[in-house]
Amino acid sequence: VFPRADVIASSFARMSVGAIKLDSPPRFALNTAPSLGQIPLGTFPRLPGGLAALAGFPLAGALDVRLVGAAGGLPAGAALTATLKLPSWLQAGGIDLQGQVRLRATNAEGLVLDGLRIGPLNADLGALALQAFQLDYRRENQGEWRGQGRACVVSGACLDMVPPSGGIVIQGGDLKSAGATLRFPAPGIPLFPGVTLQHIGFGVGLDPTRLLANAGVTAASIYEIDGRMVLAFPSARAPFTFDAREVGPGFPPAFYGRRHTTTTIGASAEGAVRVPVIGRVPLGGGYFLYEYPGYVAFGGGVRQRFAGIVTFDGRLDGELNVANGRFNLLGKVEACLTPVFCRGGEGFISSRGLSGCLIVGPLRIGVGFTYSPFSVKAWPIDGCKWSPFKEPDVRGRAAAAQAGLPHVVQLRRGDPSRVVQIEGATGAPHVRVTGPGGLVLEGRPDAVLDTGGPLRIMRLESAKLTAVGLDGAPPGTYRIEALEGSPAAAGITEASEPPDAQVRARVAGRGLRRVLRYDIRRRPAQRVTFVEITADGARRPIGAVDGGTGALRFTTAPGSGRRRIEAQFELDGLPAERRVVASFAAPAAALSRPAALRVRRRGGTVHATWGAVSEAARYEVVATTAAGQQRVVRTRARRAALVGLPRWTGGRVTVRAVAGLRTSPTTGASFRRLERPRTRFRPLPRARRALR
């Protein structure tokens, strides 16, 4: 050791800092001349066998070492800059992120792990992005890293995770907890089109990444739920399935075994659906499901009376199109037409109307009503195939009311089945129907439904309505007349059974963007909603049309297996037939790998180019040096420049393609260093024996 010459010389030395073994030359002459109060020794690779991790995070790359004097109450020692490999759930471009920390080492204490900070940095948790994220380590926290930043979902809505109302805790390299509790001003934060977050208090789980929450969610101002929620960001590698311990037991049993590979929101609690005219309908034990890119399912137990006519007691389960506010509810329920006539059947609620279709022996009969304009419909003929009712007297309702009963219906050969609806002034009229060949049917005062051959009479006393059905009746003249003591008729309308639905369709296009081409038989007051059904049963609305020929463009979600397209028919605002009309193969869950990656280095900048990936929206490029530095670039182009890389270190560039929530496998290529690492260590001169 030569202090006056600022030299330390060694013929065989090993150097370590706080149990971290450094790859330094054993024979050296070290320049110890201070520079700005420090002695910068340089950057050194690590040797195996020494300390491999700091505060629960593995060491990565080389260490920068400086000798510093005593200052500010701190003893003299070594100032180190180390690179730590962060947990695998913190990624950019498919590559685990690395962060640099600065720490001290002294002879008395060794490595001093206190006051460490990583960040701020941006990271990806599936479809959740962390912005301005930083981690802090302090010894008094029992070896925990505590983080804060902003959590942003795919739509751009961000939640602040800042103590004391939130934050992230990492222990032993694993995520221990994360959370925030926030309430948002009306109308709330739009998470996805039509899905609004009202308030949230959440935590985080992993594999797949998911937010566990107490939340209030509104979908298209139609469905609302306030209770336990999970917001999951799964992938094909780490799919998500519902766990009753996280989201509660309110979902249908089939939902718990279903795999989800795209962004999914699930909630269960007390829910409600807002129905036009009726208002808020509570759904006991309700549930809510959103699956990217546009499918919403919801429902729950219900006991509700609608317009004093139809009562549902059981479960209602439904789906809605958040883009246009249209929805359908379907329940296998105990349905009642007036309190005395209850049978098992199906109940429907849609954005246009409500219907109950009951199974009575071999018949399917029903009642329904539309919201705008409000009108009640009774359908006593088999099939619940609704049709608009028309005034038989073109002179108007007043003339028809004045004429009253009897009412005559003339059927010709080949005519469709007919329904005559009679509105009573003070109650449901009591009627008798007579037809050709001695056909007679007289309604009983205490009965809701009477049948006789092709004749049907349905009385709905609470609606002051009687419906007469001529179901496949032979041609001839039919006479409907009032029985003695019957309430007077206030109006008479007729409807003919529409023809069966006819539809042809096929799906064109590739990847996520598809086109549904259709040819639909036109029928009066018809509306057809096309729904995409995945292999696991998830349903996503595509669009709605009236009929004829045309095309609907839609975006499907990646997955596996074949998808089916179902046509859901509505007639006069009430649900009717359903038909599976087409199928297509689901697009791959991942994009193809970028090809032809080429890397060229010029000084401290690495230039990368690669081939195009079909359907890619952008590319994420990451350069990671052997010393642990990282540079991240996100670009729409097929080239990137990664700047500020030290000349004395090589490394690797990786590229992956991204489109929405779809990503590709990474492609990598290495780049070389341009010079040797610079240190203050110089080779030790060899002494030569003097010649005699």
Side-chain angles (χ1 to χ4, degrees), residues 588-599:
L591 300 175
S592 58
R593 188 192 305 269
L597 175 61
R598 296 182 180 180
V599 174

Side-chain angles (χ1 to χ4, degrees), residues 234-571:
S235 64
R237 180 185 61 83
F240 169 69
T241 56
F242 281 102
D243 187 333
R245 292 170 297 180
E246 292 182 348
V247 298
F251 286 88
F255 280 50
Y256 291 103
R258 185 181 296 171
R259 296 171 73 254
H260 299 270
T261 58
T262 61
T263 298
T264 301
I265 299 177
S268 67
E270 294 299 315
V273 60
R274 292 191 176 274
V275 178
V277 178
I278 299 169
R280 188 177 186 273
V281 179
L283 299 176
Y287 68 90
F288 171 85
L289 168 68
Y290 172 88
E291 186 178 27
Y292 179 86
Y295 170 68
V296 173
F298 56 91
V302 64
R303 181 175 179 82
Q304 185 70 21
R305 186 177 178 88
F306 298 95
I309 304 170
V310 181
T311 300
F312 292 107
D313 187 2
R315 285 193 65 86
L316 285 177
D317 301 278
E319 58 196 8
L320 64 86
N321 185 340
V322 297
N324 57 25
R326 300 191 186 103
F327 67 94
N328 287 296
L329 282 175
L330 168 63
K332 301 286 186 180
V333 296
E334 176 81 3
C336 297
L337 303 182
T338 76
V340 298
F341 187 65
C342 297
R343 295 288 190 276
E346 294 181 342
F348 294 84
I349 303 176
S350 74
S351 52
R352 303 184 66 189
L354 175 144
S355 65
C357 197
L358 277 68
I359 301 172
V360 183
L363 302 178
R364 295 177 71 246
I365 63 173
V367 147
F369 63 86
T370 56
Y371 308 133
S372 181
F374 184 83
S375 61
V376 179
K377 295 177 174 61
W379 199 255
I381 63 176
D382 188 32
C384 296
K385 192 161 56 177
W386 312 97
S387 180
F389 286 85
K390 298 181 294 185
E391 294 284 349
D393 191 330
V394 296
R395 291 177 295 174
R397 181 175 295 275
Q402 190 176 22
L405 295 174
H407 178 76
V408 176
V409 177
Q410 190 71 41
L411 289 183
R412 295 186 295 272
R413 188 175 303 278
D415 280 356
S417 299
R418 191 82 54 88
V419 174
V420 179
Q421 192 161 278
I422 308 161
E423 298 177 25
T426 58
H430 299 279
V431 299
R432 177 192 298 116
V433 184
T434 58
L439 288 173
V440 178
L441 180 63
E442 185 172 302
R444 295 167 294 169
D446 57 347
V448 175
L449 179 68
D450 290 292
T451 63
L455 306 181
R456 313 272 190 271
I457 298 176
M458 181 189 296
R459 293 184 65 252
L460 303 176
E461 187 62 44
S462 58
K464 303 177 183 178
L465 182 71
T466 297
V468 175
L470 308 177
D471 188 7
T477 301
Y478 293 82
R479 180 183 176 88
I480 304 171
E481 56 187 353
L483 297 174
E484 183 177 356
S486 169
I492 300 175
T493 53
E494 291 185 11
S496 296
E497 182 183 27
D500 291 336
Q502 278 191 6
V503 55
R504 292 183 299 175
R506 63 183 180 89
V507 176
R510 298 179 60 186
L512 298 184
R513 296 183 179 181
R514 301 297 178 104
V515 178
L516 175 66
R517 304 190 186 280
Y518 59 85
D519 185 357
I520 304 171
R521 169 193 274 177
R522 293 190 180 274
R523 297 187 292 179
Q526 174 178 266
R527 189 162 189 83
V528 184
T529 301
F530 290 102
V531 176
E532 175 191 359
I533 306 175
T534 66
D536 60 3
R539 307 169 71 89
R540 301 185 182 97
I542 293 174
V545 296
D546 295 330
T549 60
L552 289 172
R553 299 184 181 276
F554 68 101
T555 301
T556 187
S560 59
R562 294 195 65 80
R563 305 282 170 84
R564 293 175 293 144
I565 302 296
E566 182 181 81
Q568 301 176 352
F569 289 84
E570 287 184 1
L571 293 172

Side-chain angles (χ1 to χ4, degrees), residues 55 98 150 168 203 229 245 251 261 403 408 465 490 520 525 538 600 623 628 631 637 649:
Q98 298 178 170
R150 290 167 58 97
I168 289 180
M229 187 183 86
R245 292 170 297 180
F251 286 88
T261 58
V408 176
L465 182 71
I520 304 171
R600 184 178 72 260
R631 299 291 184 270
T649 181

Side-chain angles (χ1 to χ4, degrees), residues 2-3 5-8 30-41 680:
F2 303 98
D6 293 326
V7 171
I8 297 177
L30 174 61
N31 177 12
T32 60
S35 175
L36 301 177
Q38 300 180 351
I39 302 175
L41 301 185
R680 288 202 171 194

